[in-house]
């Protein structure tokens, strides 16, 4: 499990440990937190680009590589595309090569890859986007995730690795940090609970598809052990704009503070939502929590832990 000390990865780690799996967590703790790692998992503080991480994958009998470690800041990727590619492409190749070279039989090897549905499609032609929608990412982050998927198909065809590419919508929930665009729920909650005014970029009518982390965990567990090469959207198919999201969060914490508006972010996608019908049909994953249900759980956690 790479990135197992991070927001999403730690929740997936919890579920895998509870399901009785031996879980090796690879995380350099650059953004993850040691206290997020389940006591029943084995934490290895390693960079995914390092020879040591590759050696661990190759020699420890790893059967399923659940790969969540990444450079995930869209804005940083635009400022430094080479840095983004160094982690998201070269780091991924380092681990895939190690898995391919291990002595575990090919039919038992699987990669569950945390990809992106929010960034991989670019400006959408249809809403919500199905997996067949053209992939035209507008950020180096989206490009690097698409490259990861393409390399995974190569390793599937060349070495027989089983692969599930999981294209996440905008994931939110307990343990989320308050840095970057992906953390907008956490950013707003942290400020609201501190009595600080939140700033919305632009008019706030840009939309995203928000999915609670527990639904992402269920999707990962359902993907566990699947054969072949598969690609699934993991989202709700529902668009929510930032103004609406802020109102729901303010209501959840009982705040009457009004948000301010600042300049829009250059190059920001205007609308995004993804269709997860294939995931729910093929892997029998249940319908996701409503946004109100997920925000209630998230705001309760932030009240106790922020």
């Amino acid at each position: 499990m790479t990135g197992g000390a991070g927001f999403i990865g730690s929740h997936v780690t919890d579920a895998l440990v509870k399901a009785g799996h031996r879980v090796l967590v690879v995380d350099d703790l650059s953004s993850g937190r040691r206290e997020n790692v389940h006591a029943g998992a084995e934490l290895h503080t390693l960079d995914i680009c390092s020879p040591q991480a590759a050696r661990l994958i190759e020699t420890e009998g790893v059967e399923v590589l659940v790969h969540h470690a990444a450079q995930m800041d869209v804005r940083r990727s635009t400022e430094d595309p080479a840095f983004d590619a160094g982690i998201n492409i070269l780091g991924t190749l380092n681990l895939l090569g190690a898995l391919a070279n291990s002595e575990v039989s090919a039919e038992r090897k699987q990669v569950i890859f945390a990809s992106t549905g929010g960034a991989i499609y670019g400006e959408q032609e249809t809403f919500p986007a199905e997996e067949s929608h053209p992939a035209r990412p507008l950020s180096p982050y989206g490009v690097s995730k698409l490259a990861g998927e393409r390399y995974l198909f190569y390793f599937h065809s060349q070495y027989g690795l089983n692969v599930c590419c999981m294209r996440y919508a905008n994931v939110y929930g307990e343990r989320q940090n308050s840095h970057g665009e992906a953390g907008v729920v956490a950013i707003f909650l942290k400020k609201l609970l501190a009595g600080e005014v939140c700033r919305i970029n632009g008019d706030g009518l840009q939309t995203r598809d928000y999915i609670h982390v527990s639904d992402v965990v269920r999707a990962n567990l359902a993907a566990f052990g699947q054969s072949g090469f598969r690609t699934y959207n993991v989202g709700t198919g529902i668009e929510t704009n930032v103004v609406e999201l802020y109102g729901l969060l303010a209501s959840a914490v009982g705040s009457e503070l009004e948000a301010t508006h600042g300049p829009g972010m250059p190059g920001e996608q205007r609308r995004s939502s993804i269709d997860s019908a294939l995931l729910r049909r093929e892997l029998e994953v249940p319908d996701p929590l409503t946004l109100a249900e997920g925000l209630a759980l998230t705001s309760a956690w932030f009240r106790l832990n922020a």
Side-chain angles (χ1 to χ4, degrees):
M1 176 78 218
T2 72
F7 162 45
I8 302 173
S10 66
H11 284 280
V12 177
T13 297
D14 289 351
L16 292 175
V17 171
K18 290 174 184 175
H21 298 286
R22 179 194 178 202
V23 182
L24 306 177
V25 169
V26 175
D27 199 303
D28 66 2
L29 302 181
S30 58
S31 58
R33 303 175 65 182
R34 188 181 300 273
E35 55 266 36
N36 285 345
V37 179
H38 194 288
E42 304 170 31
L43 174 61
H44 298 263
T45 309
L46 297 170
D47 184 333
I48 61 169
C49 299
S50 68
Q52 293 84 358
R55 191 174 307 116
L56 183 77
I57 299 297
E58 188 171 347
T59 61
E60 285 294 323
V62 172
E63 296 183 6
V64 182
L65 173 62
V66 186
H67 184 29
H68 280 73
Q71 192 300 115
M72 59 172 293
D73 189 324
V74 173
R75 292 165 190 165
R76 181 163 188 184
S77 81
T78 62
E79 295 166 358
D80 193 349
F83 176 76
D84 181 87
I87 297 172
N88 292 353
I89 298 177
L90 297 183
T92 297
L93 284 174
N94 186 46
L95 302 179
L96 295 183
L99 185 64
N101 290 331
S102 78
E103 294 184 0
V104 175
S105 59
E107 63 272 13
R108 289 162 54 200
K109 295 178 183 177
Q110 184 192 20
V111 181
I112 299 175
F113 178 58
S115 188
T116 172
I120 212 165
Y121 298 118
E123 292 296 352
Q124 294 175 212
E125 298 173 356
T126 56
F127 298 86
E130 298 180 348
E131 289 84 354
S132 58
H133 189 286
R136 295 184 291 235
L138 297 175
S139 67
Y141 167 73
V143 171
S144 69
K145 285 296 185 179
L146 181 58
E149 292 189 9
R150 298 294 188 256
Y151 275 114
L152 280 161
F153 184 78
Y154 165 75
F155 277 87
H156 163 70
S157 60
Q158 186 72 18
Y159 299 101
L161 299 186
N162 299 299
V163 175
C164 279
C165 297
M166 312 298 278
R167 293 177 173 174
Y168 299 158
N170 280 55
V171 187
Y172 69 95
E174 302 87 317
R175 298 182 196 154
Q176 188 173 28
N177 65 41
S178 56
H179 302 288
E181 180 189 14
V184 64
V185 169
I187 291 168
F188 284 170
L189 279 175
K190 183 178 179 181
K191 286 184 174 294
L192 285 167
L193 290 169
E196 300 175 7
V197 174
C198 297
R199 189 183 74 172
I200 294 173
N201 296 326
D203 61 12
L205 300 183
Q206 59 271 34
T207 67
R208 295 292 183 268
D209 182 344
Y210 296 97
I211 185 163
H212 189 261
V213 67
S214 64
D215 292 306
V216 173
V217 171
R218 279 187 277 274
N220 274 262
L221 291 180
F224 214 77
Q226 298 295 325
S227 61
F229 185 94
R230 301 163 182 247
T231 302
Y232 295 111
N233 286 336
V234 185
T236 70
I238 298 171
E239 292 180 74
T240 303
N241 69 47
V242 181
V243 172
E244 293 170 331
L245 179 69
Y246 178 80
L248 289 169
L249 289 168
S251 177
V253 300
S255 174
E256 296 183 358
L257 284 173
E258 295 287 336
T260 62
H261 288 258
M265 297 302 297
E268 184 178 26
Q269 281 179 243
R270 189 63 176 171
R271 297 174 63 191
S272 178
S273 65
I274 57 177
D275 186 334
S276 297
L278 183 66
L279 173 80
R280 307 195 189 287
R281 182 172 67 250
E282 289 193 356
L283 301 189
E284 300 181 348
V285 176
D287 290 339
L289 298 180
T290 66
L291 185 56
E293 290 170 334
L295 292 180
L297 293 173
T298 306
S299 60
W301 185 89
F302 270 80
R303 280 186 184 276
L304 292 175
N305 296 279

